[in-house]
Amino acid sequence: MTKQDQAVLPRLIESARLPEGALAEFNVGPKEKKAVTAIESTYATLRDAILRGSYPQSSRLHLETLKSSLGVSGSTLREALTRLIGDRLVVAEGQKGFRVAPMSLCDLDDLTSARIMLESAALVESINLGGDGWEDQLVTSFRRLTRAQERVEANPAEAFDAWEARNLEFHNALMAASPSKWLANFREILLRNSERYRRLSGTQGPLPAEVHEEHKTIFDAAMARDVDRAVSALSQHIRRSANVIRANGLLRKV
């Protein structure tokens, strides 16, 4: 992380904090709750399909086909797609409909820089504030990731989904002691978007043997409460997908 990024982090953390106190909950009836549940389910189904590559980058999303295959109304589908636009996984094309968001090296570089800034901020907070419960959660997630790593090395294509789940679990455990809800929300969006690139790197590029060593370095530094080493190792780790994709020509620049 550059000195400029380090200077931005305190302001970023402070601006991302939520005011204390419980958020108000709206009183909704069974019909409204059912509609919300349908939207959430449709959103999650489409999001996961896009992340897995079932709907390739830049491909058109045909509304009538999706309504039929998902068994949902047009309003439910459009609301789910609107949420995916907010996640930067879908783009609207005026009167032409919707497409899966394209992937490019420029987008990946931007995404990588944003992840380094936000995850570094959350990691610093976790290391400084995390207690025994945070350490226990981190140890458990690292052990589960270690087992998943062994399986993905044996069969990347078939074991990637399980590895990705454990990878997300580990990264979330690293940041779990950060109290900022806004920071967590933005990190989740970035992590989900970067999953498409991790999948491309992990399944179409050469499987790097150093990935788990990078995870171990981050884990050891976090457990030792070594902020500088943990942030440096995390930054290097986040850059890996971009380096692999660029070196192997897996994506165009724009």
Side-chain angles (χ1 to χ4, degrees), residues 46 60-79 81-82 90 94-99:
L46 287 173
R60 187 177 297 280
L61 296 170
H62 299 282
L63 298 187
E64 292 303 320
T65 301
L66 289 174
K67 282 167 55 180
S68 176
S69 62
L70 297 172
V72 296
S73 67
S75 59
T76 293
L77 179 58
R78 286 185 177 276
E79 178 62 30
L81 289 170
T82 298
V90 167
Q95 301 300 315
K96 296 181 180 179
F98 302 88
R99 284 188 183 273

Side-chain angles (χ1 to χ4, degrees), residues 128-205:
N128 289 331
L129 300 175
D132 291 343
W134 172 71
E135 289 190 357
D136 291 343
Q137 182 181 356
L138 186 56
V139 169
T140 299
S141 67
F142 181 71
R143 287 175 177 168
R144 288 157 67 97
L145 178 59
T146 299
R147 291 194 291 270
Q149 180 71 24
E150 294 169 355
R151 290 190 286 271
V152 81
E153 287 179 1
N155 193 330
E158 290 189 9
F160 188 87
D161 285 348
W163 179 89
E164 177 63 24
R166 297 295 173 249
N167 181 61
L168 288 172
E169 180 182 79
F170 173 70
H171 278 265
N172 286 332
L174 280 169
M175 322 296 167
S178 169
S180 172
K181 299 298 187 295
W182 276 111
L183 201 54
N185 182 59
F186 293 142
R187 282 196 306 102
E188 182 178 359
I189 292 173
L190 295 175
L191 270 171
R192 290 296 184 186
N193 273 271
S194 65
E195 181 178 337
R196 294 199 295 168
Y197 293 100
R198 285 194 300 276
R199 187 176 295 272
L200 179 65
S201 171
T203 60
Q204 295 189 33

